[in-house]
Amino acid sequence: KIMKRLITILPLLSLIVISCNREPYAEAYVNYNPAYVGEVVQFSSYTTNSDYVEWDMDDGIMYTQPVVDHYFVDPGYYDVRLTAFGTKGGVSAAVIPMEVIGSAITIEVREYYAEYLIPNVEIYLFRSLEDWDTGDIDIAIGPFYTDDYGQVTIDGLSYQKYYVDAYYRVGNEGYTNEDLGI
């Protein structure tokens, strides 16, 4: 009699186990946090019970692979979201708060011919050559000023090329930049 019950129960248990589909569980790992702008960071999904995953990098970029390499262009704080989608419509999400540190540049200004260091020079950074060509400092980043050793370090910058312009006051004649070496 016990054997008959067991034979009857086993197919029912199998049917219950097969019909039970576990909900997805999103879990993620990042290899660098904080990261620097332009630094390639690897994001890995350790999600269970999912059909597929989506990464939202919080900077306008999305991925659907379980492991992605990504770099951030701008410094700041990002909430990277991994969403796991289950086979029966279940959804799970994990958020990785990311800090992205801006890059820095040190600029040294010398007199072009004699090559001595020049303090108190106004430095401007332009985001494009076209902006630099205009000479319009209102669209530039700055001003920054060189120290007593003719240097200035500018940090918190995005991952891109910058064009530098420098202005130095010469007596009452205004500013010059043609005799400067940067």
Side-chain angles (χ1 to χ4, degrees), residues 8 11 28 30 41 54 59 73 75 84 108 147 166:
T8 309
V30 60
V41 178
E54 278 183 0
D59 64 356
V73 174
E108 185 175 88
D147 61 17

Side-chain angles (χ1 to χ4, degrees), residues 23-75:
E23 291 294 314
Y25 179 73
E27 189 170 351
Y29 171 77
V30 60
N31 66 340
Y32 299 119
N33 193 4
Y36 292 96
V37 293
E39 179 177 32
V40 175
V41 178
Q42 187 172 77
F43 295 87
S44 302
S45 167
Y46 292 102
T47 298
T48 56
N49 304 319
S50 70
D51 194 27
Y52 69 97
V53 297
E54 278 183 0
W55 290 96
D56 179 349
M57 308 313 284
D58 197 22
D59 64 356
I61 306 291
M62 303 273 294
Y63 300 100
T64 57
Q65 301 88 0
V67 178
V68 297
D69 292 332
H70 182 75
Y71 68 90
F72 295 89
V73 174
D74 294 313

Side-chain angles (χ1 to χ4, degrees), residues 8 17 22 30 51 94 96-97 118 136 142 144 159 172 178 182:
T8 309
V17 169
R22 292 185 175 197
V30 60
D51 194 27
I96 301 172
I118 304 176
D136 183 358
F144 305 97
Y159 184 66
N172 292 328
E178 60 267 357
I182 299 174

Side-chain angles (χ1 to χ4, degrees), residues 125-128 130-132 134-142:
L125 300 180
F126 291 87
R127 291 179 179 89
S128 71
E130 294 79 22
D131 289 349
W132 180 83
T134 69
D136 183 358
I137 61 174
D138 290 333
I139 60 174
I141 302 169

Side-chain angles (χ1 to χ4, degrees), residues 13-180:
L13 284 175
S14 298
L15 184 61
I16 291 170
V17 169
I18 290 170
S19 66
C20 287
N21 203 357
R22 292 185 175 197
E23 291 294 314
Y25 179 73
E27 189 170 351
Y29 171 77
V30 60
N31 66 340
Y32 299 119
N33 193 4
Y36 292 96
V37 293
E39 179 177 32
V40 175
V41 178
Q42 187 172 77
F43 295 87
S44 302
S45 167
Y46 292 102
T47 298
T48 56
N49 304 319
S50 70
D51 194 27
Y52 69 97
V53 297
E54 278 183 0
W55 290 96
D56 179 349
M57 308 313 284
D58 197 22
D59 64 356
I61 306 291
M62 303 273 294
Y63 300 100
T64 57
Q65 301 88 0
V67 178
V68 297
D69 292 332
H70 182 75
Y71 68 90
F72 295 89
V73 174
D74 294 313
Y77 293 92
Y78 298 87
D79 285 331
V80 175
R81 177 180 290 274
L82 170 67
T83 306
F85 297 91
T87 55
K88 290 199 172 192
V91 177
S92 176
V95 175
I96 301 172
M98 282 291 302
E99 178 184 3
V100 179
I101 301 166
S103 60
I105 184 172
T106 299
I107 299 170
E108 185 175 88
V109 180
R110 296 176 176 269
E111 195 279 332
Y112 185 75
Y113 300 103
E115 294 194 15
Y116 58 85
L117 297 169
I118 304 176
N120 206 30
V121 175
E122 280 184 37
I123 303 292
Y124 293 91
L125 300 180
F126 291 87
R127 291 179 179 89
S128 71
L129 183 58
E130 294 79 22
D131 289 349
W132 180 83
D133 279 338
T134 69
D136 183 358
I137 61 174
D138 290 333
I139 60 174
I141 302 169
F144 305 97
Y145 295 91
T146 58
D147 61 17
D148 291 340
Y149 305 102
Q151 295 182 342
V152 61
T153 298
I154 305 164
D155 59 10
L157 298 174
S158 295
Y159 184 66
Q160 71 171 75
K161 182 187 281 188
Y162 290 95
Y163 298 85
V164 179
D165 215 344
Y167 298 96
Y168 181 66
R169 190 159 202 38
V170 179
N172 292 328
E173 298 179 26
Y175 290 90
T176 183
N177 65 0
E178 60 267 357
D179 292 332
L180 301 176

